[in-house]
Amino acid sequence: MLRNGEYMLKMMSRNRFFLAFFLCCLGWVDVHAQNVVVRPEPAAAPDGWVRSLERDFRTFLYYMKPLDYVPISLAIEQNVFYDDNVQLAPAGQPLTPGTSRGDFLSSTNLNGSMKFPVGSQTFFVSGGYNMQRYAYNKIFNSNNYHVDGGMNWSLGNRCFGDIVGATATYQSPFIQQNVINQINLITQTSGTASARCHIGGQIYGFANGGWRQYTNTAAELQTNNRDQTFETVGLEYNHSPLDRFGVSATFVRRQFTTRPATDNGQLAEGIDQQNYLFNYERVISPKIMVSGTAGVAAVQGRFPTYTVRDDFPIYSVDFRWLLTPRFSINFGSARMITAPQGMVSNAQEEERQNLNMGYRISPRLSLEAYVSRMKFNNSVLGTASGSNVAFQQQRVWMGGFLLTYYVSPYLQLLASYTYTDRLDTVQGYDAKSNRFMFGLSYHGRDFYINHGKATVID
């Protein structure tokens, strides 16, 4: 415990720049709000230490008024985690010498965005940089980035949409890996476009599509590298302001770029997938809303000398209930077919159920608790590169809470706990972890990110 406490102090010392920045933002927001209409401050009086900080920084921030005119809006997050099984390794499985099962992790996110209108169109660009630093497992350290930009367009009052280009790298969560003692960095580059138009009466039409490239750095997962194109078309009928329904069809073509040309009877060269869906949304009352989709996914694997096809029912259900002005419940359930994520396979079948509860303890303090159950089957259209692969079929339970304290409309203090239980339902491997997090989050005025409305199946 002493060693862990020493590391926590060391981590805070290393990141004192970000702590100071957040404290400055507290006062900056207060000064900035004198001339700009922003989201209202919570009704409760500031806590004593907040009032003291405002007084200490007000004079200094007066001389930083030019920052109000900087066209870039900032978002900065600094989080410190402790995880007693950071790799989510199965119980009893030995680790590489020099690595630790439990570890501290510091995650720093620096983001900026700006948008500017040109006539009836709005152009935007955003980007960010992420640093992940482990205390003991330094081989897992990584630097990641994301950049996206594009345009929100409109043609009068009848049509609107967007065009977005993006590229990003990020560290794959260990829950998506069936290998340990290494990290997997994923790079995604995409271009998407979407459109929604009023056809007449209560009928609307929509279409979107694009291209995406997906690559892995872990040698064991590079045979999942792929290029894919996707298109969606559909119609929607707004029966009333309270309910609407529609139909859609999505066509996806994936081409794996690094798989051998030989036929091993397991790995496909590419996957063609069509999703046909009926969707419905209804506002039952001002406090209750229900939405859902139901349909079928037709999946065809292209092997060197033959093709294999199978059909799968897919659906999603979402139920939201605002019981009181302070307490809400959200339940969701879904079944889908996606590209392989955590191991080499042709496609992945996912089933998810989740229950979220939110409670506003005070104007400044909120609590969210959640529990979820997930099942992953990586044997769609053949086994996942061998029937003895760990976590080819798995069940995952997750649960925890998030506590948020709103220092100001832009600055929050965060604390969370997450429990994870991952079970290989074939071989019996079981991996559990407990993760604790404390963090600061600052999102500046008008911070804006648009990843596009194009439906992407991945």
Side-chain angles (χ1 to χ4, degrees), residues 364-398:
R364 288 185 179 270
L365 187 63
S366 67
L367 173 67
E368 180 182 354
Y370 58 92
V371 61
S372 65
R373 175 183 180 272
M374 297 167 282
K375 288 181 64 178
F376 301 98
N377 174 17
N378 288 277
S379 298
V380 177
L381 299 183
T383 58
S385 66
S387 59
N388 61 342
V389 177
F391 294 108
Q392 177 174 306
Q393 299 186 38
Q394 57 181 297
R395 182 271 300 149
V396 178
W397 280 98
M398 297 184 70

PDB file of all heavy atoms in Angstrom, residues 364-398:
ATOM      1  N   ARG A 364     -24.810  19.725  -8.127  1.00  0.00           N
ATOM      2  CA  ARG A 364     -23.422  19.575  -8.541  1.00  0.00           C
ATOM      3  C   ARG A 364     -22.954  18.118  -8.606  1.00  0.00           C
ATOM      4  O   ARG A 364     -21.888  17.848  -9.170  1.00  0.00           O
ATOM      5  CB  ARG A 364     -22.496  20.337  -7.583  1.00  0.00           C
ATOM      6  CG  ARG A 364     -22.566  21.841  -7.707  1.00  0.00           C
ATOM      7  CD  ARG A 364     -21.522  22.488  -6.799  1.00  0.00           C
ATOM      8  NE  ARG A 364     -21.548  23.939  -6.913  1.00  0.00           N
ATOM      9  CZ  ARG A 364     -20.829  24.641  -7.769  1.00  0.00           C
ATOM     10  NH1 ARG A 364     -20.041  24.001  -8.613  1.00  0.00           N
ATOM     11  NH2 ARG A 364     -20.906  25.948  -7.791  1.00  0.00           N
ATOM     12  N   LEU A 365     -23.697  17.198  -8.054  1.00  0.00           N
ATOM     13  CA  LEU A 365     -23.212  15.825  -7.900  1.00  0.00           C
ATOM     14  C   LEU A 365     -24.200  14.841  -8.519  1.00  0.00           C
ATOM     15  O   LEU A 365     -25.404  14.891  -8.242  1.00  0.00           O
ATOM     16  CB  LEU A 365     -23.020  15.505  -6.410  1.00  0.00           C
ATOM     17  CG  LEU A 365     -22.358  14.165  -6.069  1.00  0.00           C
ATOM     18  CD1 LEU A 365     -20.928  14.121  -6.601  1.00  0.00           C
ATOM     19  CD2 LEU A 365     -22.369  13.958  -4.552  1.00  0.00           C
ATOM     20  N   SER A 366     -23.696  13.937  -9.375  1.00  0.00           N
ATOM     21  CA  SER A 366     -24.544  12.918  -9.992  1.00  0.00           C
ATOM     22  C   SER A 366     -23.871  11.563  -9.889  1.00  0.00           C
ATOM     23  O   SER A 366     -22.638  11.447  -9.815  1.00  0.00           O
ATOM     24  CB  SER A 366     -24.820  13.257 -11.459  1.00  0.00           C
ATOM     25  OG  SER A 366     -23.634  13.168 -12.224  1.00  0.00           O
ATOM     26  N   LEU A 367     -24.705  10.522  -9.896  1.00  0.00           N
ATOM     27  CA  LEU A 367     -24.232   9.146  -9.776  1.00  0.00           C
ATOM     28  C   LEU A 367     -24.861   8.307 -10.874  1.00  0.00           C
ATOM     29  O   LEU A 367     -26.071   8.381 -11.115  1.00  0.00           O
ATOM     30  CB  LEU A 367     -24.605   8.561  -8.403  1.00  0.00           C
ATOM     31  CG  LEU A 367     -24.311   7.061  -8.196  1.00  0.00           C
ATOM     32  CD1 LEU A 367     -22.807   6.814  -8.195  1.00  0.00           C
ATOM     33  CD2 LEU A 367     -24.946   6.572  -6.901  1.00  0.00           C
ATOM     34  N   GLU A 368     -24.050   7.506 -11.556  1.00  0.00           N
ATOM     35  CA  GLU A 368     -24.534   6.554 -12.546  1.00  0.00           C
ATOM     36  C   GLU A 368     -24.028   5.168 -12.183  1.00  0.00           C
ATOM     37  O   GLU A 368     -22.827   4.974 -11.950  1.00  0.00           O
ATOM     38  CB  GLU A 368     -24.052   6.917 -13.954  1.00  0.00           C
ATOM     39  CG  GLU A 368     -24.538   5.941 -15.017  1.00  0.00           C
ATOM     40  CD  GLU A 368     -24.019   6.258 -16.402  1.00  0.00           C
ATOM     41  OE1 GLU A 368     -23.368   7.310 -16.551  1.00  0.00           O
ATOM     42  OE2 GLU A 368     -24.248   5.455 -17.330  1.00  0.00           O
ATOM     43  N   ALA A 369     -24.940   4.201 -12.121  1.00  0.00           N
ATOM     44  CA  ALA A 369     -24.582   2.813 -11.863  1.00  0.00           C
ATOM     45  C   ALA A 369     -25.033   1.968 -13.046  1.00  0.00           C
ATOM     46  O   ALA A 369     -26.042   2.266 -13.690  1.00  0.00           O
ATOM     47  CB  ALA A 369     -25.237   2.312 -10.572  1.00  0.00           C
ATOM     48  N   TYR A 370     -24.295   0.909 -13.339  1.00  0.00           N
ATOM     49  CA  TYR A 370     -24.607   0.121 -14.526  1.00  0.00           C
ATOM     50  C   TYR A 370     -24.174  -1.328 -14.325  1.00  0.00           C
ATOM     51  O   TYR A 370     -23.280  -1.645 -13.536  1.00  0.00           O
ATOM     52  CB  TYR A 370     -23.893   0.702 -15.755  1.00  0.00           C
ATOM     53  CG  TYR A 370     -22.391   0.773 -15.605  1.00  0.00           C
ATOM     54  CD1 TYR A 370     -21.568  -0.272 -16.025  1.00  0.00           C
ATOM     55  CD2 TYR A 370     -21.783   1.892 -15.028  1.00  0.00           C
ATOM     56  CE1 TYR A 370     -20.198  -0.205 -15.869  1.00  0.00           C
ATOM     57  CE2 TYR A 370     -20.420   1.964 -14.866  1.00  0.00           C
ATOM     58  CZ  TYR A 370     -19.624   0.914 -15.296  1.00  0.00           C
ATOM     59  OH  TYR A 370     -18.276   0.980 -15.128  1.00  0.00           O
ATOM     60  N   VAL A 371     -24.824  -2.205 -15.062  1.00  0.00           N
ATOM     61  CA  VAL A 371     -24.445  -3.610 -15.141  1.00  0.00           C
ATOM     62  C   VAL A 371     -24.743  -4.072 -16.561  1.00  0.00           C
ATOM     63  O   VAL A 371     -25.742  -3.657 -17.165  1.00  0.00           O
ATOM     64  CB  VAL A 371     -25.210  -4.466 -14.101  1.00  0.00           C
ATOM     65  CG1 VAL A 371     -26.722  -4.401 -14.338  1.00  0.00           C
ATOM     66  CG2 VAL A 371     -24.725  -5.909 -14.127  1.00  0.00           C
ATOM     67  N   SER A 372     -23.873  -4.896 -17.128  1.00  0.00           N
ATOM     68  CA  SER A 372     -24.074  -5.368 -18.493  1.00  0.00           C
ATOM     69  C   SER A 372     -23.591  -6.806 -18.626  1.00  0.00           C
ATOM     70  O   SER A 372     -22.702  -7.251 -17.896  1.00  0.00           O
ATOM     71  CB  SER A 372     -23.335  -4.472 -19.499  1.00  0.00           C
ATOM     72  OG  SER A 372     -21.931  -4.546 -19.307  1.00  0.00           O
ATOM     73  N   ARG A 373     -24.203  -7.497 -19.560  1.00  0.00           N
ATOM     74  CA  ARG A 373     -23.823  -8.873 -19.888  1.00  0.00           C
ATOM     75  C   ARG A 373     -23.611  -8.963 -21.391  1.00  0.00           C
ATOM     76  O   ARG A 373     -24.445  -8.497 -22.174  1.00  0.00           O
ATOM     77  CB  ARG A 373     -24.919  -9.852 -19.458  1.00  0.00           C
ATOM     78  CG  ARG A 373     -24.677 -11.303 -19.857  1.00  0.00           C
ATOM     79  CD  ARG A 373     -25.864 -12.158 -19.434  1.00  0.00           C
ATOM     80  NE  ARG A 373     -25.690 -13.559 -19.794  1.00  0.00           N
ATOM     81  CZ  ARG A 373     -26.052 -14.082 -20.962  1.00  0.00           C
ATOM     82  NH1 ARG A 373     -26.597 -13.303 -21.893  1.00  0.00           N
ATOM     83  NH2 ARG A 373     -25.864 -15.360 -21.219  1.00  0.00           N
ATOM     84  N   MET A 374     -22.502  -9.567 -21.808  1.00  0.00           N
ATOM     85  CA  MET A 374     -22.175  -9.678 -23.226  1.00  0.00           C
ATOM     86  C   MET A 374     -21.752 -11.109 -23.545  1.00  0.00           C
ATOM     87  O   MET A 374     -21.108 -11.770 -22.721  1.00  0.00           O
ATOM     88  CB  MET A 374     -21.053  -8.713 -23.593  1.00  0.00           C
ATOM     89  CG  MET A 374     -21.400  -7.249 -23.415  1.00  0.00           C
ATOM     90  SD  MET A 374     -19.953  -6.156 -23.497  1.00  0.00           S
ATOM     91  CE  MET A 374     -19.270  -6.417 -21.839  1.00  0.00           C
ATOM     92  N   LYS A 375     -22.126 -11.556 -24.726  1.00  0.00           N
ATOM     93  CA  LYS A 375     -21.687 -12.852 -25.236  1.00  0.00           C
ATOM     94  C   LYS A 375     -21.074 -12.646 -26.614  1.00  0.00           C
ATOM     95  O   LYS A 375     -21.650 -11.955 -27.460  1.00  0.00           O
ATOM     96  CB  LYS A 375     -22.858 -13.838 -25.320  1.00  0.00           C
ATOM     97  CG  LYS A 375     -23.368 -14.337 -23.980  1.00  0.00           C
ATOM     98  CD  LYS A 375     -24.514 -15.327 -24.171  1.00  0.00           C
ATOM     99  CE  LYS A 375     -24.048 -16.577 -24.890  1.00  0.00           C
ATOM    100  NZ  LYS A 375     -25.143 -17.575 -25.037  1.00  0.00           N
ATOM    101  N   PHE A 376     -19.901 -13.253 -26.828  1.00  0.00           N
ATOM    102  CA  PHE A 376     -19.205 -13.142 -28.105  1.00  0.00           C
ATOM    103  C   PHE A 376     -18.956 -14.535 -28.669  1.00  0.00           C
ATOM    104  O   PHE A 376     -18.426 -15.407 -27.969  1.00  0.00           O
ATOM    105  CB  PHE A 376     -17.861 -12.424 -27.930  1.00  0.00           C
ATOM    106  CG  PHE A 376     -17.986 -11.043 -27.364  1.00  0.00           C
ATOM    107  CD1 PHE A 376     -17.793 -10.818 -26.012  1.00  0.00           C
ATOM    108  CD2 PHE A 376     -18.293  -9.965 -28.175  1.00  0.00           C
ATOM    109  CE1 PHE A 376     -17.893  -9.549 -25.473  1.00  0.00           C
ATOM    110  CE2 PHE A 376     -18.404  -8.685 -27.649  1.00  0.00           C
ATOM    111  CZ  PHE A 376     -18.204  -8.480 -26.301  1.00  0.00           C
ATOM    112  N   ASN A 377     -19.339 -14.735 -29.909  1.00  0.00           N
ATOM    113  CA  ASN A 377     -19.100 -15.983 -30.617  1.00  0.00           C
ATOM    114  C   ASN A 377     -18.257 -15.671 -31.844  1.00  0.00           C
ATOM    115  O   ASN A 377     -18.711 -15.001 -32.770  1.00  0.00           O
ATOM    116  CB  ASN A 377     -20.420 -16.632 -31.018  1.00  0.00           C
ATOM    117  CG  ASN A 377     -20.220 -17.865 -31.886  1.00  0.00           C
ATOM    118  OD1 ASN A 377     -19.127 -18.427 -31.945  1.00  0.00           O
ATOM    119  ND2 ASN A 377     -21.271 -18.287 -32.561  1.00  0.00           N
ATOM    120  N   ASN A 378     -17.017 -16.151 -31.855  1.00  0.00           N
ATOM    121  CA  ASN A 378     -16.106 -15.880 -32.957  1.00  0.00           C
ATOM    122  C   ASN A 378     -15.988 -17.060 -33.912  1.00  0.00           C
ATOM    123  O   ASN A 378     -14.983 -17.207 -34.609  1.00  0.00           O
ATOM    124  CB  ASN A 378     -14.723 -15.525 -32.407  1.00  0.00           C
ATOM    125  CG  ASN A 378     -14.706 -14.150 -31.762  1.00  0.00           C
ATOM    126  OD1 ASN A 378     -14.571 -13.142 -32.431  1.00  0.00           O
ATOM    127  ND2 ASN A 378     -14.885 -14.117 -30.450  1.00  0.00           N
ATOM    128  N   SER A 379     -17.011 -17.924 -33.946  1.00  0.00           N
ATOM    129  CA  SER A 379     -17.004 -19.087 -34.832  1.00  0.00           C
ATOM    130  C   SER A 379     -17.971 -18.922 -35.998  1.00  0.00           C
ATOM    131  O   SER A 379     -18.379 -19.909 -36.608  1.00  0.00           O
ATOM    132  CB  SER A 379     -17.359 -20.353 -34.038  1.00  0.00           C
ATOM    133  OG  SER A 379     -16.405 -20.592 -33.029  1.00  0.00           O
ATOM    134  N   VAL A 380     -18.374 -17.681 -36.303  1.00  0.00           N
ATOM    135  CA  VAL A 380     -19.293 -17.444 -37.406  1.00  0.00           C
ATOM    136  C   VAL A 380     -18.595 -17.786 -38.727  1.00  0.00           C
ATOM    137  O   VAL A 380     -17.475 -17.346 -38.984  1.00  0.00           O
ATOM    138  CB  VAL A 380     -19.762 -15.986 -37.417  1.00  0.00           C
ATOM    139  CG1 VAL A 380     -20.669 -15.724 -38.605  1.00  0.00           C
ATOM    140  CG2 VAL A 380     -20.479 -15.664 -36.116  1.00  0.00           C
ATOM    141  N   LEU A 381     -19.228 -18.603 -39.555  1.00  0.00           N
ATOM    142  CA  LEU A 381     -18.680 -19.037 -40.844  1.00  0.00           C
ATOM    143  C   LEU A 381     -17.337 -19.731 -40.681  1.00  0.00           C
ATOM    144  O   LEU A 381     -16.394 -19.504 -41.442  1.00  0.00           O
ATOM    145  CB  LEU A 381     -18.533 -17.860 -41.804  1.00  0.00           C
ATOM    146  CG  LEU A 381     -19.810 -17.112 -42.181  1.00  0.00           C
ATOM    147  CD1 LEU A 381     -19.497 -16.033 -43.199  1.00  0.00           C
ATOM    148  CD2 LEU A 381     -20.860 -18.062 -42.717  1.00  0.00           C
ATOM    149  N   GLY A 382     -17.211 -20.597 -39.675  1.00  0.00           N
ATOM    150  CA  GLY A 382     -15.967 -21.338 -39.479  1.00  0.00           C
ATOM    151  C   GLY A 382     -15.323 -20.997 -38.158  1.00  0.00           C
ATOM    152  O   GLY A 382     -15.636 -20.002 -37.522  1.00  0.00           O
ATOM    153  N   THR A 383     -14.388 -21.846 -37.725  1.00  0.00           N
ATOM    154  CA  THR A 383     -13.727 -21.634 -36.442  1.00  0.00           C
ATOM    155  C   THR A 383     -12.719 -20.501 -36.540  1.00  0.00           C
ATOM    156  O   THR A 383     -12.271 -20.128 -37.617  1.00  0.00           O
ATOM    157  CB  THR A 383     -13.001 -22.914 -35.995  1.00  0.00           C
ATOM    158  OG1 THR A 383     -12.059 -23.285 -37.022  1.00  0.00           O
ATOM    159  CG2 THR A 383     -13.981 -24.039 -35.780  1.00  0.00           C
ATOM    160  N   ALA A 384     -12.377 -19.976 -35.382  1.00  0.00           N
ATOM    161  CA  ALA A 384     -11.470 -18.832 -35.319  1.00  0.00           C
ATOM    162  C   ALA A 384     -10.034 -19.328 -35.340  1.00  0.00           C
ATOM    163  O   ALA A 384      -9.409 -19.507 -34.310  1.00  0.00           O
ATOM    164  CB  ALA A 384     -11.738 -18.019 -34.059  1.00  0.00           C
ATOM    165  N   SER A 385      -9.501 -19.568 -36.526  1.00  0.00           N
ATOM    166  CA  SER A 385      -8.117 -20.008 -36.739  1.00  0.00           C
ATOM    167  C   SER A 385      -7.736 -21.169 -35.838  1.00  0.00           C
ATOM    168  O   SER A 385      -6.657 -21.219 -35.278  1.00  0.00           O
ATOM    169  CB  SER A 385      -7.139 -18.842 -36.536  1.00  0.00           C
ATOM    170  OG  SER A 385      -7.137 -18.414 -35.182  1.00  0.00           O
ATOM    171  N   GLY A 386      -8.656 -22.110 -35.677  1.00  0.00           N
ATOM    172  CA  GLY A 386      -8.383 -23.279 -34.853  1.00  0.00           C
ATOM    173  C   GLY A 386      -9.372 -23.383 -33.716  1.00  0.00           C
ATOM    174  O   GLY A 386      -9.688 -22.397 -33.066  1.00  0.00           O
ATOM    175  N   SER A 387      -9.880 -24.574 -33.448  1.00  0.00           N
ATOM    176  CA  SER A 387     -10.932 -24.731 -32.445  1.00  0.00           C
ATOM    177  C   SER A 387     -10.419 -24.625 -31.022  1.00  0.00           C
ATOM    178  O   SER A 387     -11.206 -24.572 -30.086  1.00  0.00           O
ATOM    179  CB  SER A 387     -11.609 -26.104 -32.640  1.00  0.00           C
ATOM    180  OG  SER A 387     -10.658 -27.146 -32.506  1.00  0.00           O
ATOM    181  N   ASN A 388      -9.095 -24.584 -30.812  1.00  0.00           N
ATOM    182  CA  ASN A 388      -8.560 -24.545 -29.453  1.00  0.00           C
ATOM    183  C   ASN A 388      -8.131 -23.134 -29.042  1.00  0.00           C
ATOM    184  O   ASN A 388      -7.397 -22.960 -28.079  1.00  0.00           O
ATOM    185  CB  ASN A 388      -7.363 -25.489 -29.345  1.00  0.00           C
ATOM    186  CG  ASN A 388      -6.222 -25.083 -30.284  1.00  0.00           C
ATOM    187  OD1 ASN A 388      -6.450 -24.337 -31.217  1.00  0.00           O
ATOM    188  ND2 ASN A 388      -5.032 -25.591 -30.033  1.00  0.00           N
ATOM    189  N   VAL A 389      -8.561 -22.114 -29.771  1.00  0.00           N
ATOM    190  CA  VAL A 389      -8.172 -20.748 -29.433  1.00  0.00           C
ATOM    191  C   VAL A 389      -8.924 -20.285 -28.191  1.00  0.00           C
ATOM    192  O   VAL A 389     -10.139 -20.437 -28.089  1.00  0.00           O
ATOM    193  CB  VAL A 389      -8.471 -19.799 -30.614  1.00  0.00           C
ATOM    194  CG1 VAL A 389      -8.139 -18.364 -30.241  1.00  0.00           C
ATOM    195  CG2 VAL A 389      -7.672 -20.225 -31.840  1.00  0.00           C
ATOM    196  N   ALA A 390      -8.182 -19.709 -27.236  1.00  0.00           N
ATOM    197  CA  ALA A 390      -8.813 -19.226 -26.010  1.00  0.00           C
ATOM    198  C   ALA A 390      -9.755 -18.074 -26.310  1.00  0.00           C
ATOM    199  O   ALA A 390      -9.484 -17.235 -27.169  1.00  0.00           O
ATOM    200  CB  ALA A 390      -7.737 -18.789 -25.016  1.00  0.00           C
ATOM    201  N   PHE A 391     -10.865 -18.020 -25.583  1.00  0.00           N
ATOM    202  CA  PHE A 391     -11.867 -16.960 -25.676  1.00  0.00           C
ATOM    203  C   PHE A 391     -12.474 -16.861 -27.075  1.00  0.00           C
ATOM    204  O   PHE A 391     -12.912 -15.804 -27.494  1.00  0.00           O
ATOM    205  CB  PHE A 391     -11.277 -15.609 -25.251  1.00  0.00           C
ATOM    206  CG  PHE A 391     -10.904 -15.564 -23.799  1.00  0.00           C
ATOM    207  CD1 PHE A 391      -9.577 -15.568 -23.407  1.00  0.00           C
ATOM    208  CD2 PHE A 391     -11.870 -15.563 -22.822  1.00  0.00           C
ATOM    209  CE1 PHE A 391      -9.224 -15.543 -22.072  1.00  0.00           C
ATOM    210  CE2 PHE A 391     -11.543 -15.542 -21.475  1.00  0.00           C
ATOM    211  CZ  PHE A 391     -10.209 -15.537 -21.104  1.00  0.00           C
ATOM    212  N   GLN A 392     -12.512 -17.986 -27.802  1.00  0.00           N
ATOM    213  CA  GLN A 392     -13.226 -17.997 -29.079  1.00  0.00           C
ATOM    214  C   GLN A 392     -14.703 -17.753 -28.850  1.00  0.00           C
ATOM    215  O   GLN A 392     -15.358 -17.062 -29.623  1.00  0.00           O
ATOM    216  CB  GLN A 392     -13.004 -19.334 -29.778  1.00  0.00           C
ATOM    217  CG  GLN A 392     -13.759 -19.472 -31.095  1.00  0.00           C
ATOM    218  CD  GLN A 392     -13.394 -20.742 -31.819  1.00  0.00           C
ATOM    219  OE1 GLN A 392     -12.234 -21.003 -32.068  1.00  0.00           O
ATOM    220  NE2 GLN A 392     -14.384 -21.544 -32.152  1.00  0.00           N
ATOM    221  N   GLN A 393     -15.238 -18.335 -27.774  1.00  0.00           N
ATOM    222  CA  GLN A 393     -16.599 -18.048 -27.335  1.00  0.00           C
ATOM    223  C   GLN A 393     -16.518 -17.624 -25.873  1.00  0.00           C
ATOM    224  O   GLN A 393     -15.927 -18.324 -25.060  1.00  0.00           O
ATOM    225  CB  GLN A 393     -17.503 -19.270 -27.508  1.00  0.00           C
ATOM    226  CG  GLN A 393     -17.622 -19.727 -28.952  1.00  0.00           C
ATOM    227  CD  GLN A 393     -18.639 -20.834 -29.123  1.00  0.00           C
ATOM    228  OE1 GLN A 393     -19.679 -20.838 -28.481  1.00  0.00           O
ATOM    229  NE2 GLN A 393     -18.340 -21.778 -30.001  1.00  0.00           N
ATOM    230  N   GLN A 394     -17.107 -16.500 -25.561  1.00  0.00           N
ATOM    231  CA  GLN A 394     -16.934 -15.971 -24.214  1.00  0.00           C
ATOM    232  C   GLN A 394     -18.183 -15.240 -23.744  1.00  0.00           C
ATOM    233  O   GLN A 394     -19.003 -14.795 -24.536  1.00  0.00           O
ATOM    234  CB  GLN A 394     -15.736 -15.029 -24.161  1.00  0.00           C
ATOM    235  CG  GLN A 394     -15.805 -13.866 -25.135  1.00  0.00           C
ATOM    236  CD  GLN A 394     -14.586 -12.971 -25.054  1.00  0.00           C
ATOM    237  OE1 GLN A 394     -14.331 -12.356 -24.029  1.00  0.00           O
ATOM    238  NE2 GLN A 394     -13.832 -12.896 -26.136  1.00  0.00           N
ATOM    239  N   ARG A 395     -18.276 -15.169 -22.419  1.00  0.00           N
ATOM    240  CA  ARG A 395     -19.330 -14.430 -21.748  1.00  0.00           C
ATOM    241  C   ARG A 395     -18.666 -13.415 -20.821  1.00  0.00           C
ATOM    242  O   ARG A 395     -17.742 -13.750 -20.087  1.00  0.00           O
ATOM    243  CB  ARG A 395     -20.219 -15.389 -20.961  1.00  0.00           C
ATOM    244  CG  ARG A 395     -21.395 -14.707 -20.239  1.00  0.00           C
ATOM    245  CD  ARG A 395     -21.007 -14.249 -18.840  1.00  0.00           C
ATOM    246  NE  ARG A 395     -20.587 -15.367 -18.013  1.00  0.00           N
ATOM    247  CZ  ARG A 395     -19.679 -15.261 -17.052  1.00  0.00           C
ATOM    248  NH1 ARG A 395     -19.059 -14.101 -16.831  1.00  0.00           N
ATOM    249  NH2 ARG A 395     -19.338 -16.312 -16.327  1.00  0.00           N
ATOM    250  N   VAL A 396     -19.130 -12.172 -20.856  1.00  0.00           N
ATOM    251  CA  VAL A 396     -18.521 -11.104 -20.068  1.00  0.00           C
ATOM    252  C   VAL A 396     -19.592 -10.413 -19.237  1.00  0.00           C
ATOM    253  O   VAL A 396     -20.640 -10.005 -19.761  1.00  0.00           O
ATOM    254  CB  VAL A 396     -17.817 -10.063 -20.969  1.00  0.00           C
ATOM    255  CG1 VAL A 396     -17.224  -8.942 -20.117  1.00  0.00           C
ATOM    256  CG2 VAL A 396     -16.740 -10.729 -21.817  1.00  0.00           C
ATOM    257  N   TRP A 397     -19.337 -10.291 -17.933  1.00  0.00           N
ATOM    258  CA  TRP A 397     -20.158  -9.473 -17.042  1.00  0.00           C
ATOM    259  C   TRP A 397     -19.354  -8.232 -16.657  1.00  0.00           C
ATOM    260  O   TRP A 397     -18.166  -8.327 -16.330  1.00  0.00           O
ATOM    261  CB  TRP A 397     -20.529 -10.228 -15.771  1.00  0.00           C
ATOM    262  CG  TRP A 397     -21.668 -11.182 -15.908  1.00  0.00           C
ATOM    263  CD1 TRP A 397     -21.589 -12.534 -16.104  1.00  0.00           C
ATOM    264  CD2 TRP A 397     -23.059 -10.864 -15.859  1.00  0.00           C
ATOM    265  NE1 TRP A 397     -22.848 -13.078 -16.194  1.00  0.00           N
ATOM    266  CE2 TRP A 397     -23.772 -12.082 -16.041  1.00  0.00           C
ATOM    267  CE3 TRP A 397     -23.781  -9.684 -15.681  1.00  0.00           C
ATOM    268  CZ2 TRP A 397     -25.161 -12.143 -16.038  1.00  0.00           C
ATOM    269  CZ3 TRP A 397     -25.158  -9.731 -15.679  1.00  0.00           C
ATOM    270  CH2 TRP A 397     -25.836 -10.951 -15.856  1.00  0.00           C
ATOM    271  N   MET A 398     -19.994  -7.073 -16.694  1.00  0.00           N
ATOM    272  CA  MET A 398     -19.366  -5.836 -16.242  1.00  0.00           C
ATOM    273  C   MET A 398     -20.352  -5.059 -15.387  1.00  0.00           C
ATOM    274  O   MET A 398     -21.562  -5.083 -15.642  1.00  0.00           O
ATOM    275  CB  MET A 398     -18.909  -4.972 -17.419  1.00  0.00           C
ATOM    276  CG  MET A 398     -17.848  -5.596 -18.294  1.00  0.00           C
ATOM    277  SD  MET A 398     -17.263  -4.489 -19.611  1.00  0.00           S
ATOM    278  CE  MET A 398     -16.366  -3.282 -18.631  1.00  0.00           C
TER     279      MET A 398
END
